[in-house]
Amino acid sequence: MLEFFLGHYAYWFTIILLALGLYGMLLKKNLVKKIIGLSIFQAGVILFFVSVAMKEGATVPVKAYNLPVSEVSNYMNALPHTLMLTAIVVGVATLGVAFALLINIYNRYGTLNEEELIDKIQ
Amino acid sequence: MIGSEIPALIPVTYILFAILIPVVGLWKRELTWHLSLLGTGIATFLSAWGFWHLIQTGETIRYFFGGWAPPIGIEFVYDGLAAFIVLVINAIAFLVLIHSKEISKVEFPGKKMAYYTVSMLLMLGFNGMVLTGDLFNLYVFLEISSLSSYALIGIGEKRAPYSAFRYLIIGTVGGSLYLLGVGFLYTVTGTLNIIDMHAMLPQVIGHSSVISALILMVVGVGVKAALFPLHGWLPDSYTFASSTSSALIAPIGTKVAAYILLRIVLFLFGVELVDDQLPLTTILGAFAGIGILYGSIMAIAQSELKKMLAYSSVSQIGYIILGISLANPFGFIGAVLHILNHALMKALLFLVSGSMRLKEGHSLITKFDNSYRKKYPWTMAAFTTAAISMVGLPPLAGFFSKWYLALGTIENSSWLLLAVILISSLLNAVYFFRIIEKIYLNNPEAEEAIEDETIQNNEVGFSMMFPMAVMAIGLLLVGIFNVYIVNVIFTMFPAGF
């Protein structure tokens, strides 16, 4: 049982991050905290991809003079990392749009608390 | 030969105009509308040309970026289905943007430049989603289109930013779930190319990662497609956004997401594999059926035209997903045909509601009366055409997609889903005919009102009438020449049909 947890600890970490992010988005009343939850959720996905690329005993994907390239197990998979660079950029853009919307909401209603906001809307 | 470059040229056109519009807009702000029309016009022309080329030659164009062949490089797959959807979305966007000329002066006067730039980015995202043959590339285009649609929805009434914010939270979670699903599939197959992965999936189909990935991807894309019960963001977003935004995003956005779902279910996994571990098509069909009824019933309860149309969208997207879930040729034809029909109908209806908001300052159904038929004879005629098509009366387009969906349910012996289609047609009739009744059939005291000389013809201008007229005639033509379209759809079938 312990091995099951320890052997998959990267995945448990991902699950915890995803759950934390969802918790923030669903239950926090402050809209900024919701965005923080969103960021944590995205970070969970990003870390999942990064941890998938890990190989035991492998080195960075740069050709070393004594390690033949044909032996793929010598090198880590670089593709998930490069994908995640794009995903991080997407995450930053999402944050930017989210904060722009928040500024707009604050200017119109003067609050970022969800309950007060819903009261003011109705 | 330029024909083989078309898949890359369409998104490039949009990138070019997304850069050009702010540059020219700094110099002359009025030109931004013309430029956005030019951009969508070129894209529509290219996609029409490409579609024609494809029908003539019957060859799928696979465009490799930078000359790198897949699975190493990223490719755009321009097959019959993609070409068809690209043509539909670009043509609709072109017509909607023509209509936006007057609305932009009232609903977002100081933001024209930003608005048209973002709408170019939105179309870039949608076209990329349809064309790409790479799952991660699809995620990037999905986020481009989503971020643009959050911005477009945020421009609108007072409540618009809050509904856009809610959409942002839900939409980003959907996108992240999709990405997580792609990650799962990547760990077991080692490829991101859809065609390559389709070839590898039979070897790994029993693996728990594959089934988790399928669920994650379907849920993630289902959020974007507003598949019941993931539709929560949709009604508020469409209602409070500016009329042009809802006319642009409602007919195109959810259709593209439904198309992605179709790609995942029928092309990436295929008919044989998708139900291997869990009866996914049955589950999708059940949710689609509930969504159809729920959307129709909620639409009846609304007193605001745009909100009614938003709920009606939830119901109509159910038809497309129902067609996908049938996983038989009739269901496929029905789904693809309904993407075209519903895009035309919903765009037309949202344009009518936009025109009403401009002319009357509201689009409350309760305030509609029979003076409208004198004030806006052609707008109301267009509205009625679309409404009748939504209900599904021949010879208008809406009948034929429902016909094929019904045939599909009969072929699968899913009598419950057949009942859902028939009942929902009745419900559609209820919520559209109550408006048509208000406009065309009058009660005694209103009879005098219509004779009143003070009611002048107040028809909308040419820039608004033209796109509505084109769509209304288009609905009739699609209905009448429906057999030719179905013949083309026959060539788009995924493997296994």
PDB file of all heavy atoms in Angstrom, chain A residues 25 41-42 48-49 52 77 79 83 90 93-94 108-109 114 117 121, chain B residues 136 143 147 157-159 161-162 172-173 176 179 183-184 186-187 192:
ATOM      1  N   MET A  25     -11.757  27.582  -6.714  1.00  0.00           N
ATOM      2  CA  MET A  25     -12.699  28.141  -7.675  1.00  0.00           C
ATOM      3  C   MET A  25     -14.144  27.994  -7.223  1.00  0.00           C
ATOM      4  O   MET A  25     -14.982  28.848  -7.477  1.00  0.00           O
ATOM      5  CB  MET A  25     -12.521  27.457  -9.024  1.00  0.00           C
ATOM      6  CG  MET A  25     -11.407  28.047  -9.827  1.00  0.00           C
ATOM      7  SD  MET A  25     -11.272  27.252 -11.403  1.00  0.00           S
ATOM      8  CE  MET A  25     -10.374  25.799 -11.002  1.00  0.00           C
ATOM      9  N   PHE A  41      -4.892  25.208 -10.494  1.00  0.00           N
ATOM     10  CA  PHE A  41      -5.410  24.113 -11.326  1.00  0.00           C
ATOM     11  C   PHE A  41      -4.558  23.938 -12.582  1.00  0.00           C
ATOM     12  O   PHE A  41      -4.154  22.823 -12.933  1.00  0.00           O
ATOM     13  CB  PHE A  41      -6.864  24.427 -11.703  1.00  0.00           C
ATOM     14  CG  PHE A  41      -7.614  23.275 -12.297  1.00  0.00           C
ATOM     15  CD1 PHE A  41      -8.180  22.315 -11.484  1.00  0.00           C
ATOM     16  CD2 PHE A  41      -7.750  23.155 -13.662  1.00  0.00           C
ATOM     17  CE1 PHE A  41      -8.884  21.247 -12.015  1.00  0.00           C
ATOM     18  CE2 PHE A  41      -8.455  22.090 -14.214  1.00  0.00           C
ATOM     19  CZ  PHE A  41      -9.012  21.141 -13.389  1.00  0.00           C
ATOM     20  N   GLN A  42      -4.257  25.058 -13.223  1.00  0.00           N
ATOM     21  CA  GLN A  42      -3.433  24.974 -14.439  1.00  0.00           C
ATOM     22  C   GLN A  42      -2.030  24.482 -14.106  1.00  0.00           C
ATOM     23  O   GLN A  42      -1.450  23.688 -14.858  1.00  0.00           O
ATOM     24  CB  GLN A  42      -3.364  26.336 -15.119  1.00  0.00           C
ATOM     25  CG  GLN A  42      -4.655  26.687 -15.828  1.00  0.00           C
ATOM     26  CD  GLN A  42      -4.567  27.999 -16.558  1.00  0.00           C
ATOM     27  OE1 GLN A  42      -3.953  28.938 -16.069  1.00  0.00           O
ATOM     28  NE2 GLN A  42      -5.198  28.067 -17.709  1.00  0.00           N
ATOM     29  N   PHE A  48       1.907  17.870 -14.165  1.00  0.00           N
ATOM     30  CA  PHE A  48       1.660  16.502 -14.614  1.00  0.00           C
ATOM     31  C   PHE A  48       2.466  16.198 -15.870  1.00  0.00           C
ATOM     32  O   PHE A  48       3.152  15.183 -15.960  1.00  0.00           O
ATOM     33  CB  PHE A  48       0.167  16.292 -14.862  1.00  0.00           C
ATOM     34  CG  PHE A  48      -0.142  15.007 -15.578  1.00  0.00           C
ATOM     35  CD1 PHE A  48      -0.079  13.797 -14.906  1.00  0.00           C
ATOM     36  CD2 PHE A  48      -0.443  14.996 -16.925  1.00  0.00           C
ATOM     37  CE1 PHE A  48      -0.335  12.609 -15.564  1.00  0.00           C
ATOM     38  CE2 PHE A  48      -0.712  13.820 -17.586  1.00  0.00           C
ATOM     39  CZ  PHE A  48      -0.651  12.619 -16.908  1.00  0.00           C
ATOM     40  N   PHE A  49       2.372  17.100 -16.841  1.00  0.00           N
ATOM     41  CA  PHE A  49       3.120  16.891 -18.090  1.00  0.00           C
ATOM     42  C   PHE A  49       4.623  16.806 -17.823  1.00  0.00           C
ATOM     43  O   PHE A  49       5.316  15.952 -18.367  1.00  0.00           O
ATOM     44  CB  PHE A  49       2.845  18.045 -19.063  1.00  0.00           C
ATOM     45  CG  PHE A  49       1.717  17.771 -20.003  1.00  0.00           C
ATOM     46  CD1 PHE A  49       0.416  18.001 -19.621  1.00  0.00           C
ATOM     47  CD2 PHE A  49       1.965  17.306 -21.273  1.00  0.00           C
ATOM     48  CE1 PHE A  49      -0.623  17.753 -20.488  1.00  0.00           C
ATOM     49  CE2 PHE A  49       0.931  17.056 -22.148  1.00  0.00           C
ATOM     50  CZ  PHE A  49      -0.369  17.277 -21.752  1.00  0.00           C
ATOM     51  N   VAL A  52       5.643  13.562 -16.286  1.00  0.00           N
ATOM     52  CA  VAL A  52       5.540  12.437 -17.221  1.00  0.00           C
ATOM     53  C   VAL A  52       6.833  12.274 -18.016  1.00  0.00           C
ATOM     54  O   VAL A  52       7.227  11.167 -18.377  1.00  0.00           O
ATOM     55  CB  VAL A  52       4.325  12.668 -18.147  1.00  0.00           C
ATOM     56  CG1 VAL A  52       4.449  11.867 -19.411  1.00  0.00           C
ATOM     57  CG2 VAL A  52       3.056  12.299 -17.432  1.00  0.00           C
ATOM     58  N   ASN A  77      12.505  12.874 -22.338  1.00  0.00           N
ATOM     59  CA  ASN A  77      11.656  13.338 -23.428  1.00  0.00           C
ATOM     60  C   ASN A  77      11.471  14.849 -23.292  1.00  0.00           C
ATOM     61  O   ASN A  77      10.950  15.328 -22.294  1.00  0.00           O
ATOM     62  CB  ASN A  77      10.312  12.618 -23.346  1.00  0.00           C
ATOM     63  CG  ASN A  77       9.431  12.916 -24.516  1.00  0.00           C
ATOM     64  OD1 ASN A  77       9.774  13.763 -25.345  1.00  0.00           O
ATOM     65  ND2 ASN A  77       8.315  12.242 -24.593  1.00  0.00           N
ATOM     66  N   LEU A  79       9.705  16.777 -25.328  1.00  0.00           N
ATOM     67  CA  LEU A  79       8.483  17.316 -25.938  1.00  0.00           C
ATOM     68  C   LEU A  79       7.485  17.843 -24.904  1.00  0.00           C
ATOM     69  O   LEU A  79       6.985  18.959 -25.050  1.00  0.00           O
ATOM     70  CB  LEU A  79       7.833  16.254 -26.833  1.00  0.00           C
ATOM     71  CG  LEU A  79       6.640  16.786 -27.609  1.00  0.00           C
ATOM     72  CD1 LEU A  79       7.084  17.786 -28.665  1.00  0.00           C
ATOM     73  CD2 LEU A  79       5.867  15.668 -28.265  1.00  0.00           C
ATOM     74  N   LEU A  83       5.861  21.596 -24.806  1.00  0.00           N
ATOM     75  CA  LEU A  83       4.415  21.827 -24.846  1.00  0.00           C
ATOM     76  C   LEU A  83       3.998  22.717 -23.691  1.00  0.00           C
ATOM     77  O   LEU A  83       3.179  23.621 -23.825  1.00  0.00           O
ATOM     78  CB  LEU A  83       3.657  20.496 -24.756  1.00  0.00           C
ATOM     79  CG  LEU A  83       3.812  19.504 -25.895  1.00  0.00           C
ATOM     80  CD1 LEU A  83       2.934  18.302 -25.628  1.00  0.00           C
ATOM     81  CD2 LEU A  83       3.455  20.121 -27.208  1.00  0.00           C
ATOM     82  N   VAL A  90      -0.269  30.332 -22.339  1.00  0.00           N
ATOM     83  CA  VAL A  90      -1.733  30.389 -22.376  1.00  0.00           C
ATOM     84  C   VAL A  90      -2.269  30.769 -20.999  1.00  0.00           C
ATOM     85  O   VAL A  90      -3.164  31.611 -20.865  1.00  0.00           O
ATOM     86  CB  VAL A  90      -2.307  29.029 -22.839  1.00  0.00           C
ATOM     87  CG1 VAL A  90      -3.805  28.976 -22.606  1.00  0.00           C
ATOM     88  CG2 VAL A  90      -2.009  28.797 -24.299  1.00  0.00           C
ATOM     89  N   ALA A  93      -1.837  34.421 -20.346  1.00  0.00           N
ATOM     90  CA  ALA A  93      -2.820  35.204 -21.101  1.00  0.00           C
ATOM     91  C   ALA A  93      -4.185  35.129 -20.437  1.00  0.00           C
ATOM     92  O   ALA A  93      -4.900  36.136 -20.330  1.00  0.00           O
ATOM     93  CB  ALA A  93      -2.894  34.693 -22.535  1.00  0.00           C
ATOM     94  N   THR A  94      -4.537  33.929 -19.956  1.00  0.00           N
ATOM     95  CA  THR A  94      -5.828  33.782 -19.270  1.00  0.00           C
ATOM     96  C   THR A  94      -5.883  34.681 -18.043  1.00  0.00           C
ATOM     97  O   THR A  94      -6.882  35.362 -17.795  1.00  0.00           O
ATOM     98  CB  THR A  94      -6.038  32.317 -18.848  1.00  0.00           C
ATOM     99  OG1 THR A  94      -5.721  31.483 -19.944  1.00  0.00           O
ATOM    100  CG2 THR A  94      -7.461  32.072 -18.411  1.00  0.00           C
ATOM    101  N   ARG A 108     -17.497  48.764 -12.060  1.00  0.00           N
ATOM    102  CA  ARG A 108     -18.951  48.875 -12.226  1.00  0.00           C
ATOM    103  C   ARG A 108     -19.697  48.658 -10.920  1.00  0.00           C
ATOM    104  O   ARG A 108     -20.737  49.258 -10.692  1.00  0.00           O
ATOM    105  CB  ARG A 108     -19.434  47.858 -13.252  1.00  0.00           C
ATOM    106  CG  ARG A 108     -18.964  48.237 -14.644  1.00  0.00           C
ATOM    107  CD  ARG A 108     -19.491  47.308 -15.694  1.00  0.00           C
ATOM    108  NE  ARG A 108     -18.737  47.546 -16.930  1.00  0.00           N
ATOM    109  CZ  ARG A 108     -19.191  47.240 -18.138  1.00  0.00           C
ATOM    110  NH1 ARG A 108     -20.363  46.678 -18.270  1.00  0.00           N
ATOM    111  NH2 ARG A 108     -18.468  47.480 -19.207  1.00  0.00           N
ATOM    112  N   TYR A 109     -19.191  47.766 -10.060  1.00  0.00           N
ATOM    113  CA  TYR A 109     -19.947  47.410  -8.860  1.00  0.00           C
ATOM    114  C   TYR A 109     -19.256  47.796  -7.557  1.00  0.00           C
ATOM    115  O   TYR A 109     -19.880  47.759  -6.516  1.00  0.00           O
ATOM    116  CB  TYR A 109     -20.230  45.897  -8.850  1.00  0.00           C
ATOM    117  CG  TYR A 109     -21.150  45.450  -9.955  1.00  0.00           C
ATOM    118  CD1 TYR A 109     -20.657  44.797 -11.077  1.00  0.00           C
ATOM    119  CD2 TYR A 109     -22.516  45.695  -9.880  1.00  0.00           C
ATOM    120  CE1 TYR A 109     -21.501  44.398 -12.094  1.00  0.00           C
ATOM    121  CE2 TYR A 109     -23.361  45.304 -10.883  1.00  0.00           C
ATOM    122  CZ  TYR A 109     -22.861  44.652 -11.992  1.00  0.00           C
ATOM    123  OH  TYR A 109     -23.690  44.269 -12.993  1.00  0.00           O
ATOM    124  N   GLU A 114     -18.265  37.775  -4.226  1.00  0.00           N
ATOM    125  CA  GLU A 114     -19.302  37.229  -5.090  1.00  0.00           C
ATOM    126  C   GLU A 114     -20.705  37.445  -4.539  1.00  0.00           C
ATOM    127  O   GLU A 114     -21.621  37.814  -5.276  1.00  0.00           O
ATOM    128  CB  GLU A 114     -19.052  35.731  -5.300  1.00  0.00           C
ATOM    129  CG  GLU A 114     -19.826  35.183  -6.466  1.00  0.00           C
ATOM    130  CD  GLU A 114     -19.470  33.746  -6.744  1.00  0.00           C
ATOM    131  OE1 GLU A 114     -19.168  33.015  -5.788  1.00  0.00           O
ATOM    132  OE2 GLU A 114     -19.501  33.358  -7.916  1.00  0.00           O
ATOM    133  N   LEU A 117     -21.753  40.951  -4.885  1.00  0.00           N
ATOM    134  CA  LEU A 117     -21.926  41.206  -6.308  1.00  0.00           C
ATOM    135  C   LEU A 117     -23.298  40.743  -6.779  1.00  0.00           C
ATOM    136  O   LEU A 117     -24.018  41.472  -7.467  1.00  0.00           O
ATOM    137  CB  LEU A 117     -20.819  40.460  -7.060  1.00  0.00           C
ATOM    138  CG  LEU A 117     -20.404  40.985  -8.416  1.00  0.00           C
ATOM    139  CD1 LEU A 117     -19.908  42.404  -8.290  1.00  0.00           C
ATOM    140  CD2 LEU A 117     -19.315  40.127  -8.981  1.00  0.00           C
ATOM    141  N   ILE A 121     -26.366  42.918  -8.285  1.00  0.00           N
ATOM    142  CA  ILE A 121     -26.898  42.680  -9.629  1.00  0.00           C
ATOM    143  C   ILE A 121     -28.411  42.594  -9.581  1.00  0.00           C
ATOM    144  O   ILE A 121     -29.106  43.080 -10.460  1.00  0.00           O
ATOM    145  CB  ILE A 121     -26.266  41.393 -10.212  1.00  0.00           C
ATOM    146  CG1 ILE A 121     -24.843  41.702 -10.673  1.00  0.00           C
ATOM    147  CG2 ILE A 121     -27.074  40.861 -11.373  1.00  0.00           C
ATOM    148  CD1 ILE A 121     -24.061  40.488 -11.063  1.00  0.00           C
TER     149      ILE A 121
ATOM    150  N   PHE B 136      -2.392  18.835 -29.411  1.00  0.00           N
ATOM    151  CA  PHE B 136      -1.948  19.953 -28.577  1.00  0.00           C
ATOM    152  C   PHE B 136      -2.177  21.278 -29.282  1.00  0.00           C
ATOM    153  O   PHE B 136      -2.577  22.269 -28.671  1.00  0.00           O
ATOM    154  CB  PHE B 136      -0.481  19.809 -28.186  1.00  0.00           C
ATOM    155  CG  PHE B 136      -0.055  20.864 -27.214  1.00  0.00           C
ATOM    156  CD1 PHE B 136      -0.421  20.769 -25.889  1.00  0.00           C
ATOM    157  CD2 PHE B 136       0.647  21.977 -27.626  1.00  0.00           C
ATOM    158  CE1 PHE B 136      -0.070  21.750 -24.985  1.00  0.00           C
ATOM    159  CE2 PHE B 136       0.994  22.963 -26.730  1.00  0.00           C
ATOM    160  CZ  PHE B 136       0.640  22.856 -25.407  1.00  0.00           C
ATOM    161  N   GLU B 143      -7.756  27.691 -26.828  1.00  0.00           N
ATOM    162  CA  GLU B 143      -7.569  28.774 -25.865  1.00  0.00           C
ATOM    163  C   GLU B 143      -7.559  30.134 -26.558  1.00  0.00           C
ATOM    164  O   GLU B 143      -8.055  31.106 -25.999  1.00  0.00           O
ATOM    165  CB  GLU B 143      -6.284  28.564 -25.062  1.00  0.00           C
ATOM    166  CG  GLU B 143      -6.395  27.450 -24.035  1.00  0.00           C
ATOM    167  CD  GLU B 143      -7.397  27.771 -22.923  1.00  0.00           C
ATOM    168  OE1 GLU B 143      -7.706  28.948 -22.711  1.00  0.00           O
ATOM    169  OE2 GLU B 143      -7.878  26.825 -22.278  1.00  0.00           O
ATOM    170  N   LEU B 147     -10.148  32.759 -25.206  1.00  0.00           N
ATOM    171  CA  LEU B 147      -9.741  34.049 -24.637  1.00  0.00           C
ATOM    172  C   LEU B 147     -10.397  35.182 -25.408  1.00  0.00           C
ATOM    173  O   LEU B 147     -10.856  36.161 -24.812  1.00  0.00           O
ATOM    174  CB  LEU B 147      -8.216  34.187 -24.684  1.00  0.00           C
ATOM    175  CG  LEU B 147      -7.448  33.323 -23.695  1.00  0.00           C
ATOM    176  CD1 LEU B 147      -5.969  33.397 -23.947  1.00  0.00           C
ATOM    177  CD2 LEU B 147      -7.745  33.771 -22.279  1.00  0.00           C
ATOM    178  N   GLU B 157     -23.539  44.765 -21.938  1.00  0.00           N
ATOM    179  CA  GLU B 157     -24.295  45.457 -20.907  1.00  0.00           C
ATOM    180  C   GLU B 157     -23.522  45.500 -19.598  1.00  0.00           C
ATOM    181  O   GLU B 157     -22.423  44.980 -19.496  1.00  0.00           O
ATOM    182  CB  GLU B 157     -25.619  44.713 -20.661  1.00  0.00           C
ATOM    183  CG  GLU B 157     -26.615  44.877 -21.764  1.00  0.00           C
ATOM    184  CD  GLU B 157     -27.824  43.987 -21.509  1.00  0.00           C
ATOM    185  OE1 GLU B 157     -28.115  43.732 -20.321  1.00  0.00           O
ATOM    186  OE2 GLU B 157     -28.439  43.547 -22.481  1.00  0.00           O
ATOM    187  N   LYS B 158     -24.195  46.077 -18.559  1.00  0.00           N
ATOM    188  CA  LYS B 158     -23.501  46.246 -17.287  1.00  0.00           C
ATOM    189  C   LYS B 158     -23.067  44.897 -16.704  1.00  0.00           C
ATOM    190  O   LYS B 158     -21.999  44.777 -16.130  1.00  0.00           O
ATOM    191  CB  LYS B 158     -24.434  46.968 -16.311  1.00  0.00           C
ATOM    192  CG  LYS B 158     -23.678  47.570 -15.139  1.00  0.00           C
ATOM    193  CD  LYS B 158     -24.602  48.274 -14.164  1.00  0.00           C
ATOM    194  CE  LYS B 158     -23.761  48.776 -12.989  1.00  0.00           C
ATOM    195  NZ  LYS B 158     -24.548  49.011 -11.795  1.00  0.00           N
ATOM    196  N   ARG B 159     -23.897  43.892 -16.868  1.00  0.00           N
ATOM    197  CA  ARG B 159     -23.583  42.604 -16.246  1.00  0.00           C
ATOM    198  C   ARG B 159     -22.614  41.774 -17.053  1.00  0.00           C
ATOM    199  O   ARG B 159     -22.177  40.711 -16.608  1.00  0.00           O
ATOM    200  CB  ARG B 159     -24.884  41.804 -16.054  1.00  0.00           C
ATOM    201  CG  ARG B 159     -25.613  42.165 -14.801  1.00  0.00           C
ATOM    202  CD  ARG B 159     -26.894  41.384 -14.709  1.00  0.00           C
ATOM    203  NE  ARG B 159     -26.645  39.964 -14.492  1.00  0.00           N
ATOM    204  CZ  ARG B 159     -27.619  39.083 -14.261  1.00  0.00           C
ATOM    205  NH1 ARG B 159     -28.852  39.494 -14.233  1.00  0.00           N
ATOM    206  NH2 ARG B 159     -27.341  37.825 -14.079  1.00  0.00           N
ATOM    207  N   PRO B 161     -19.352  41.867 -17.921  1.00  0.00           N
ATOM    208  CA  PRO B 161     -18.058  41.385 -17.414  1.00  0.00           C
ATOM    209  C   PRO B 161     -18.192  40.243 -16.412  1.00  0.00           C
ATOM    210  O   PRO B 161     -17.373  39.324 -16.416  1.00  0.00           O
ATOM    211  CB  PRO B 161     -17.457  42.627 -16.750  1.00  0.00           C
ATOM    212  CG  PRO B 161     -18.115  43.754 -17.408  1.00  0.00           C
ATOM    213  CD  PRO B 161     -19.487  43.305 -17.752  1.00  0.00           C
ATOM    214  N   TYR B 162     -19.242  40.289 -15.580  1.00  0.00           N
ATOM    215  CA  TYR B 162     -19.373  39.221 -14.588  1.00  0.00           C
ATOM    216  C   TYR B 162     -19.718  37.894 -15.265  1.00  0.00           C
ATOM    217  O   TYR B 162     -19.159  36.851 -14.914  1.00  0.00           O
ATOM    218  CB  TYR B 162     -20.431  39.594 -13.537  1.00  0.00           C
ATOM    219  CG  TYR B 162     -20.580  38.548 -12.470  1.00  0.00           C
ATOM    220  CD1 TYR B 162     -19.476  38.184 -11.701  1.00  0.00           C
ATOM    221  CD2 TYR B 162     -21.788  37.919 -12.237  1.00  0.00           C
ATOM    222  CE1 TYR B 162     -19.590  37.213 -10.732  1.00  0.00           C
ATOM    223  CE2 TYR B 162     -21.908  36.945 -11.268  1.00  0.00           C
ATOM    224  CZ  TYR B 162     -20.803  36.599 -10.522  1.00  0.00           C
ATOM    225  OH  TYR B 162     -20.912  35.627  -9.571  1.00  0.00           O
ATOM    226  N   THR B 172     -11.890  27.806 -18.696  1.00  0.00           N
ATOM    227  CA  THR B 172     -10.492  27.450 -18.505  1.00  0.00           C
ATOM    228  C   THR B 172     -10.371  26.083 -17.854  1.00  0.00           C
ATOM    229  O   THR B 172      -9.462  25.310 -18.187  1.00  0.00           O
ATOM    230  CB  THR B 172      -9.778  28.517 -17.661  1.00  0.00           C
ATOM    231  OG1 THR B 172     -10.051  29.778 -18.238  1.00  0.00           O
ATOM    232  CG2 THR B 172      -8.296  28.285 -17.637  1.00  0.00           C
ATOM    233  N   VAL B 173     -11.286  25.778 -16.921  1.00  0.00           N
ATOM    234  CA  VAL B 173     -11.262  24.434 -16.339  1.00  0.00           C
ATOM    235  C   VAL B 173     -11.493  23.402 -17.443  1.00  0.00           C
ATOM    236  O   VAL B 173     -10.808  22.377 -17.520  1.00  0.00           O
ATOM    237  CB  VAL B 173     -12.321  24.295 -15.227  1.00  0.00           C
ATOM    238  CG1 VAL B 173     -12.424  22.855 -14.770  1.00  0.00           C
ATOM    239  CG2 VAL B 173     -11.961  25.172 -14.067  1.00  0.00           C
ATOM    240  N   SER B 176      -8.369  23.036 -19.437  1.00  0.00           N
ATOM    241  CA  SER B 176      -7.332  22.304 -18.699  1.00  0.00           C
ATOM    242  C   SER B 176      -7.642  20.819 -18.642  1.00  0.00           C
ATOM    243  O   SER B 176      -6.725  19.986 -18.743  1.00  0.00           O
ATOM    244  CB  SER B 176      -7.208  22.853 -17.282  1.00  0.00           C
ATOM    245  OG  SER B 176      -6.927  24.224 -17.319  1.00  0.00           O
ATOM    246  N   LEU B 179      -6.646  19.357 -21.822  1.00  0.00           N
ATOM    247  CA  LEU B 179      -5.186  19.229 -21.891  1.00  0.00           C
ATOM    248  C   LEU B 179      -4.714  18.024 -21.087  1.00  0.00           C
ATOM    249  O   LEU B 179      -3.828  17.277 -21.517  1.00  0.00           O
ATOM    250  CB  LEU B 179      -4.543  20.516 -21.367  1.00  0.00           C
ATOM    251  CG  LEU B 179      -3.028  20.593 -21.441  1.00  0.00           C
ATOM    252  CD1 LEU B 179      -2.559  20.461 -22.872  1.00  0.00           C
ATOM    253  CD2 LEU B 179      -2.534  21.911 -20.870  1.00  0.00           C
ATOM    254  N   GLY B 183      -2.641  14.777 -22.288  1.00  0.00           N
ATOM    255  CA  GLY B 183      -1.455  14.267 -21.610  1.00  0.00           C
ATOM    256  C   GLY B 183      -1.550  12.771 -21.363  1.00  0.00           C
ATOM    257  O   GLY B 183      -0.588  12.028 -21.589  1.00  0.00           O
ATOM    258  N   PHE B 184      -2.716  12.313 -20.914  1.00  0.00           N
ATOM    259  CA  PHE B 184      -2.911  10.879 -20.675  1.00  0.00           C
ATOM    260  C   PHE B 184      -2.682  10.083 -21.952  1.00  0.00           C
ATOM    261  O   PHE B 184      -1.992   9.063 -21.965  1.00  0.00           O
ATOM    262  CB  PHE B 184      -4.334  10.610 -20.164  1.00  0.00           C
ATOM    263  CG  PHE B 184      -4.512  10.853 -18.692  1.00  0.00           C
ATOM    264  CD1 PHE B 184      -3.637  11.662 -18.001  1.00  0.00           C
ATOM    265  CD2 PHE B 184      -5.547  10.253 -18.004  1.00  0.00           C
ATOM    266  CE1 PHE B 184      -3.793  11.884 -16.659  1.00  0.00           C
ATOM    267  CE2 PHE B 184      -5.716  10.470 -16.642  1.00  0.00           C
ATOM    268  CZ  PHE B 184      -4.837  11.295 -15.978  1.00  0.00           C
ATOM    269  N   TYR B 186      -0.999  11.004 -24.535  1.00  0.00           N
ATOM    270  CA  TYR B 186       0.391  11.105 -24.961  1.00  0.00           C
ATOM    271  C   TYR B 186       1.269  10.103 -24.209  1.00  0.00           C
ATOM    272  O   TYR B 186       2.164   9.504 -24.794  1.00  0.00           O
ATOM    273  CB  TYR B 186       0.910  12.535 -24.754  1.00  0.00           C
ATOM    274  CG  TYR B 186       2.347  12.697 -25.163  1.00  0.00           C
ATOM    275  CD1 TYR B 186       2.700  12.702 -26.503  1.00  0.00           C
ATOM    276  CD2 TYR B 186       3.354  12.801 -24.210  1.00  0.00           C
ATOM    277  CE1 TYR B 186       4.016  12.807 -26.888  1.00  0.00           C
ATOM    278  CE2 TYR B 186       4.668  12.914 -24.590  1.00  0.00           C
ATOM    279  CZ  TYR B 186       4.994  12.912 -25.926  1.00  0.00           C
ATOM    280  OH  TYR B 186       6.301  13.009 -26.301  1.00  0.00           O
ATOM    281  N   THR B 187       0.974   9.911 -22.921  1.00  0.00           N
ATOM    282  CA  THR B 187       1.822   8.989 -22.154  1.00  0.00           C
ATOM    283  C   THR B 187       1.688   7.555 -22.670  1.00  0.00           C
ATOM    284  O   THR B 187       2.644   6.793 -22.577  1.00  0.00           O
ATOM    285  CB  THR B 187       1.463   9.000 -20.664  1.00  0.00           C
ATOM    286  OG1 THR B 187       0.068   8.725 -20.543  1.00  0.00           O
ATOM    287  CG2 THR B 187       1.784  10.307 -20.018  1.00  0.00           C
ATOM    288  N   LEU B 192       1.017  12.975 -30.791  1.00  0.00           N
ATOM    289  CA  LEU B 192      -0.062  13.944 -30.619  1.00  0.00           C
ATOM    290  C   LEU B 192      -0.871  14.100 -31.891  1.00  0.00           C
ATOM    291  O   LEU B 192      -1.883  14.775 -31.909  1.00  0.00           O
ATOM    292  CB  LEU B 192       0.507  15.310 -30.216  1.00  0.00           C
ATOM    293  CG  LEU B 192       1.063  15.379 -28.798  1.00  0.00           C
ATOM    294  CD1 LEU B 192       1.886  16.631 -28.620  1.00  0.00           C
ATOM    295  CD2 LEU B 192      -0.052  15.356 -27.774  1.00  0.00           C
TER     296      LEU B 192
END
